[in-house]
Amino acid sequence: MEALFDTDLIIARKKRAKQHTDEGAAFLMKRAAEDLAERLSTVDRHFKKAAAIFCLTPHAADALKESGKVDTVSRVEADPILLDGEGVVAAPETLPLEPQSLDLAVSLLTLHETNDTPGMLAQIRKALKPDGLFLGAMAGAGTLQELREALLHAETELSGGAAPRVSPFADIRDVGGLLQRAGFALPVADLETLTVRYANMFDLMRDLRAMGATSALRARSRKPASRALFIRAAQIYAERFADPDGRIRATFNIVWISGWAPHASQQQPLAPGSAKISLKDVLEKKG
C-alpha cells in the first residue's frame, strides 16, 4: 500500500509544536478531551487499565484520570518529547502493548494522519480485553474545506494548476466501516461540527502550525509556496467565507468513533430467518 502521509514529517511537526507551546492553539484538543469525558460519563462501566494512544498532549490522559472511572492510565506516543514524563514510546502506527491488556483505549485527533488506519484500529482492538472499549476522535470530511477551496482556487488562478495543500479526510460512513473491518463489535460513528472564527486566513494557518497540523502529504509540492499565493488565497477566503463582521469561518468536522472488543455477553444480531414476524407481513398489514 502506497503511503499517503510522510510520517517522519508529521512527527517532526508535532515535536516542533510541542517545543513551542501555544496554549491558545490547544483549543481543539481541549475540546476533544472535554467531549471524551462527557462520552465516558455515559458509559456504565469502571475500567481498571486504560491507555491514551497517540493523543499528543496530556489532555486525554488527564480526562481519563479525572473521570473517576479508571484505575490506571498510561500514555503511548511516537517520541519521548510528546510524553511529558512516563509512558511508552512507539514507532508510528505501531502499538507495542500486550494482547488483551487494556480495558479502555482512547485516541484523539491523530487517526486521520495514519497511512494504515484499519491496521491501527486492529492493533487497538487486539490490545483490548474481551468487552473492552475503544473511544476515538479524528478529523473527518469537510474539515478545513474553506482553506482547501481558497488555496485551490488561488493557485489555479495564479499558475494554472494546483498541488494538494490540505490533507484529505475520511467520510463518516467510511470510518464506521473501518471499525467493522478492524473487528470491533457494536461500532458507532457520529459527527460533531465545530466552526471557529478568525480575523483572517493567516491567523488560522498560525494555529494549524502551532498544532503541528499542517499538511504532510507525500504528494505535496516541494516548491515553496509564493507570498502571492497566500495573499490571493486570503482574499478569496475572505470573499467567500466571511461573516458580516469580516471574520472568517473555519470548519472542523470531528468524527467520534466507538467500538467494543467482541465478547459473548454482548448483544448479537438475530440470525437470518429467526424473526417471529416477517417484514412482509408488517408491510402488508400497514398497507
Side-chain angles (χ1 to χ4, degrees):
M1 181 179 64
E2 185 177 353
L4 180 64
F5 298 103
D6 184 337
T7 304
D8 292 339
L9 181 59
I10 289 173
I11 295 173
R13 287 179 174 169
K14 304 302 185 192
K15 289 169 61 177
R16 183 177 64 187
K18 179 70 175 181
Q19 292 168 324
H20 300 84
T21 302
D22 181 345
E23 282 299 320
F27 72 90
L28 201 58
M29 186 62 77
K30 290 180 179 178
R31 173 63 177 268
E34 291 171 0
D35 288 348
L36 170 66
E38 182 176 346
R39 289 167 182 269
L40 192 58
S41 70
T42 67
V43 180
D44 187 19
R45 182 76 64 85
H46 190 87
F47 303 93
K48 290 184 178 180
K49 187 175 181 181
I53 299 167
F54 300 125
C55 293
L56 302 176
T57 73
H59 294 97
D62 290 346
L64 294 178
K65 293 173 184 176
E66 294 166 5
S67 70
K69 289 178 171 284
V70 181
D71 290 339
T72 63
V73 180
S74 60
R75 292 183 60 194
V76 179
E77 297 293 351
D79 191 276
I81 290 175
L82 301 172
L83 276 175
D84 303 296
E86 293 185 0
V88 177
V89 177
E93 302 190 34
T94 301
L95 192 57
L97 299 178
E98 291 295 322
Q100 300 187 14
S101 61
L102 298 175
D103 301 287
L104 171 66
V106 302
S107 178
L108 298 187
L109 303 183
T110 56
L111 281 171
H112 56 271
E113 292 180 317
T114 52
N115 286 306
D116 182 11
T117 308
M120 190 69 243
L121 290 172
Q123 291 182 71
I124 293 172
R125 197 263 304 162
K126 290 177 182 177
L128 288 169
K129 296 176 182 178
D131 209 28
L133 174 63
F134 168 62
L135 288 171
M138 59 191 291
T143 294
L144 298 176
Q145 58 191 1
E146 304 90 350
L147 179 62
R148 183 194 307 276
E149 182 175 325
L151 288 169
L152 175 65
H153 283 268
E155 192 164 15
T156 301
E157 178 184 304
L158 294 175
S159 62
R165 298 190 180 277
V166 177
S167 298
F169 301 103
D171 185 88
I172 185 172
R173 291 166 295 186
D174 297 328
V175 175
L178 292 180
L179 287 169
Q180 291 180 312
R181 180 175 166 186
F184 282 101
L186 310 176
V188 176
D190 63 87
L191 184 68
E192 179 183 358
T193 297
L194 179 64
T195 302
V196 184
R197 303 201 317 145
Y198 288 91
N200 52 58
M201 187 189 81
F202 297 104
D203 285 352
L204 165 61
M205 294 178 67
R206 189 175 299 113
D207 263 5
L208 294 176
R209 284 194 295 271
M211 297 176 194
T214 50
S215 175
L217 290 170
R218 292 180 65 87
R220 70 191 182 280
S221 173
R222 273 24 180 208
K223 180 181 178 181
S226 67
R227 184 169 181 268
L229 168 62
F230 290 118
I231 291 175
R232 180 60 184 133
Q235 292 171 343
I236 293 172
Y237 204 131
E239 291 166 1
R240 300 185 182 187
F241 305 110
D243 289 330
D245 62 0
R247 295 180 69 82
I248 63 166
R249 302 182 300 278
T251 299
F252 295 88
N253 283 335
I254 307 302
V255 178
W256 277 93
I257 54 180
S258 66
W260 297 81
H263 187 267
S265 66
Q266 294 164 352
Q267 182 178 354
Q268 302 294 318
L270 292 174
S274 63
K276 301 297 184 182
I277 302 175
S278 73
L279 178 59
K280 177 177 179 293
D281 291 341
V282 173
L283 293 177
E284 286 178 349
K285 288 179 181 178
K286 287 188 174 181

